[in-house]
Amino acid sequence: MNKSKETLHDENVAQCVSDFVDDRLSSEDLDFLLSQENEKWETTLKSYAATQQALNSAEPMTDFSQFDLLSRVREGIDGIEPDLLPDETETSPSNIVDLSERKAAFTESNARHLDALSDSENSRKSNVISVKMFAMAASVAFVALLAGQLFLSQGNDFNGEGLPVIAVANLDQTDSILDDPQDIQALSLDVNNDRLQSYLRQHAEQSAMATNQGMISMARVVSFSTEQDEQ
Amino acid sequence: MVLVVNLSYAASDNSVGLIRLSNMVQSFSVLSYQGIFVRSQGVEMNSMKILHDVIDGSEYESLVDLDGDKIEVIRIDDSVICVYPDISFANTAEPVTAPLRQFKELNGERLLEGYTFELSEKAEVIAGRNAHKLSLIPKDSYRFGHEFWLDSENDFLLKHDTLNLKGEVIDRVQFTDITFAPKLTKADFVPRLGTYSRHIVEVKPEMTDNKWRFDWLPDGFAPVWRDARVLNGKTAMLLLSDGITSISVFVEPTQVETDYSVMEMGSTTVGEVSRALQTDILRLTIVGEVPEDTVEKMLMSFLPRTAS
């Protein structure tokens, strides 16, 4: 049975909210998310944010009910100093969000996104890139990093000034591996190497039996195909 | 006097901790349960649905990836079925090849060589159930710490954190919903309509003599297999474990010597070096949920067995 356009739209927004909380929202999807009505999606965003914080932080829980998260992101983008942005940009892959194009593209994105809804299941996979175990090419460009967790982690004293730009960087043309920065200590090995992928999989499968955690330890193996596919 | 009291507490925690950990291992295959757990590593998060029951004397188990491509693994005793969203996906995805049987006995002696057990008296609520935290505190810096939250009634694992040497969580598995005795039937372990299933036939692995040894290993680690497993006809795989953590070692011939290189992803470390051992140049790769220092030290202490 075909899903209605409204259902597809809602599913797409829900996925965007999830990706935003996971810090892997693409530039286009952020545009799309920001164009949605606050009231309808704030509750979803807050519940996802609370779950993410509970899973990944030992800090006391932030009371997300006290502030408007989507408005906070909008304020953050509006508060970027123009001097920080580059004159030209060539790429904005994955969670690297090109902020210089943000405002100009804002009004066009919603219509474009709706047109693309019918292909959303396929296109999402190519847009959203796993930040774990992934190497990507980057053109020479200044980019600003914008992360959902940053907005979610600030307390009620958020004022929208200067916060959204985590880093303004000049990327060179060499391949770089994106990962959670705290996870990367050394990157001499290329994880995209087929041989290493095979070894990682063999290890995940065989060690699942040796770690005494039942089928739960197989979670790594089951999700492994998805991770490989995203690459 | 104080020291004696503390030691007795420690011994007690070790004994009780081992019993509860052993109960945890048993509970996976004995209890009937249905639940959803989340696994997070770095910024990655996956939710999984798990079902388990013993029906008419057979063990039924199902694990479904609720995110991404919704791959499912169904196990009925020793038979494993991989369920994919469609046939095209099945043709491109790597099948699960491992048998899903688990070790049902815990090697307490080996665990106590590497960890001190600490059992929290304070109950916490995980997935709506009371749980007590069992901490496995590493005795050295060659392994990560572990915290298990065990159900107060049946010792089922409700949450597991892996901690790095700074005590930071680097890997977490946590149930968000769990029901015990959910009255499952065989129909709950049938692949969904419209999916494509593939029966995984367990091929007896090709084994070869283990021709290598380690001059040094972290306390408590020992080979899981007596022999080495052969992969692709040329690579030998060894598996070591301390009962909770495992380390895989891959050995294959190569042409050139290369320096040590390493990569860390969450709790998993991969280290590699190619060097001349006797007459051959061998590439050694170690993959394990251990600190980088452990991988490097093991790579440097890898030696061929000498004929006795």
Side-chain angles (χ1 to χ4, degrees), chain B residues 237-271:
Chain B
M237 177 184 180
L238 315 174
L239 186 66
L240 306 152
S241 176
D242 67 353
I244 287 293
T245 302
S246 54
I247 300 172
S248 296
V249 184
F250 301 89
V251 188
E252 65 177 327
T254 187
Q255 303 296 319
V256 289
E257 292 191 42
T258 57
D259 291 336
Y260 167 70
S261 53
V262 67
M263 173 176 63
E264 292 180 312
M265 299 171 297
S267 58
T268 305
T269 304
V270 184

Side-chain angles (χ1 to χ4, degrees), chain B residues 180-198:
Chain B
F180 292 102
K183 294 180 181 170
L184 299 171
T185 67
K186 291 176 184 175
D188 293 306
F189 300 91
V190 173
R192 301 179 303 280
L193 279 176
T195 56
Y196 179 82
S197 302
R198 179 175 287 166

Side-chain angles (χ1 to χ4, degrees), chain A residues 131-178:
Chain A
V131 291
K132 188 175 78 173
M133 297 163 58
F134 194 81
M136 69 166 62
S139 302
V140 176
F142 275 94
V143 292
L145 302 182
L146 180 73
Q149 281 301 306
L150 178 70
F151 292 99
L152 306 179
S153 62
Q154 303 300 318
N156 292 327
D157 53 349
F158 177 86
N159 60 16
E161 291 179 6
L163 272 175
V165 181
I166 298 172
V168 176
N170 190 4
L171 301 183
D172 64 25
Q173 288 179 303
T174 57
D175 283 0
S176 60
I177 293 183
L178 278 189

Side-chain angles (χ1 to χ4, degrees), chain A residues 15 18 21-24 48 51-58 95 121 125 129-134 149 177 179-193 195-230, chain B residues 24-25 28 37-46 48 50 61-63 65 68-69 71 73 89 93-103 105-106 148 157 160 171-175 224-225 229 231 235 237 239 241 243-248 250 252 261-268 270-272 283 285 287-289:
Chain A
Q15 185 62 51
S18 173
V21 173
D22 290 343
D23 283 348
R24 57 178 203 174
Y48 282 16
T51 305
Q52 176 75 301
Q53 191 178 22
L55 286 169
N56 293 294
S57 172
N95 61 337
E121 289 304 310
K125 216 168 207 180
I129 302 168
S130 171
V131 291
K132 188 175 78 173
M133 297 163 58
F134 194 81
Q149 281 301 306
I177 293 183
D179 203 329
D180 185 354
Q182 66 192 7
D183 290 341
I184 296 180
Q185 306 293 322
L187 291 170
S188 302
L189 284 174
D190 177 12
V191 76
N192 282 330
N193 180 308
R195 181 176 47 78
L196 282 189
Q197 287 291 332
S198 162
Y199 288 172
L200 281 164
R201 187 181 177 83
Q202 283 287 341
H203 170 72
E205 288 186 354
Q206 301 303 331
S207 64
M209 292 185 299
T211 52
N212 286 310
Q213 289 163 49
M215 208 163 181
I216 291 170
S217 55
M218 286 299 289
R220 183 177 301 176
V221 181
V222 174
S223 62
F224 200 84
S225 295
T226 308
E227 290 165 6
Q228 282 189 315
D229 191 56
E230 284 173 352
Chain B
M24 177 193 89
V25 174
F28 292 125
F37 65 89
V38 175
R39 178 170 180 269
S40 65
Q41 189 180 37
V43 296
E44 289 290 314
M45 196 160 68
N46 254 78
M48 301 261 171
I50 190 166
E61 197 158 26
S62 157
L63 184 68
D65 181 10
D69 296 299
I71 299 171
V73 177
F89 192 94
E94 288 278 328
V96 172
T97 57
L100 301 182
R101 291 186 303 269
Q102 306 100 40
F103 296 140
E105 288 181 13
L106 207 64
F148 297 95
L157 178 65
H160 173 209
D171 197 314
R172 170 171 291 170
V173 172
Q174 179 173 348
F175 273 90
V224 173
W225 309 321
R229 183 169 291 207
L231 310 174
T235 304
M237 177 184 180
L239 186 66
S241 176
I244 287 293
T245 302
S246 54
I247 300 172
S248 296
F250 301 89
E252 65 177 327
S261 53
V262 67
M263 173 176 63
E264 292 180 312
M265 299 171 297
S267 58
T268 305
V270 184
E272 193 167 273
R283 175 161 49 215
T285 308
V287 183
E289 284 66 49

